[in-house]
Amino acid sequence: MCLAIPAQVVELRPNDQALVNLGGIRKEVSIGLVDGVQLGDYVIVHVGHAIGTVDPEEARRTLALFAEMDHTP
């Protein structure tokens, strides 16, 4: 099973790299597979690579669900 999570691009870097915010954790990922990624976009990240973009509202709903699961006893 694969899990890909939405992350917000907080910095664009050289060589198709970007710094993303994954729920407060910042991680460098490759954006070479996705055309036109801009600062502030939400991307779907899987094993260190952005594999697509996602609507900001959908990203927020998904992240809220993950947060809710984290607080389930």
Side-chain angles (χ1 to χ4, degrees):
M1 181 169 127
C2 296
L3 179 63
I5 57 173
Q8 189 173 31
V9 175
V10 294
E11 183 181 323
L12 297 171
R13 294 185 170 174
N15 302 316
D16 288 330
Q17 298 292 305
L19 187 66
V20 297
N21 182 354
L22 295 159
I25 297 169
R26 291 181 174 223
K27 176 174 177 56
E28 187 172 79
V29 300
S30 170
I31 56 172
L33 299 175
V34 184
D35 290 332
V37 173
Q38 300 293 316
L39 191 62
D41 284 352
Y42 281 88
V43 293
I44 299 295
V45 176
H46 178 66
V47 293
H49 295 271
I51 58 173
T53 58
V54 66
D55 174 75
E57 185 56 37
E58 182 64 28
R60 287 184 198 90
R61 284 195 300 265
T62 301
L63 293 170
L65 287 172
F66 280 126
E68 188 176 306
M69 288 189 309
D70 188 43
H71 292 99
T72 303

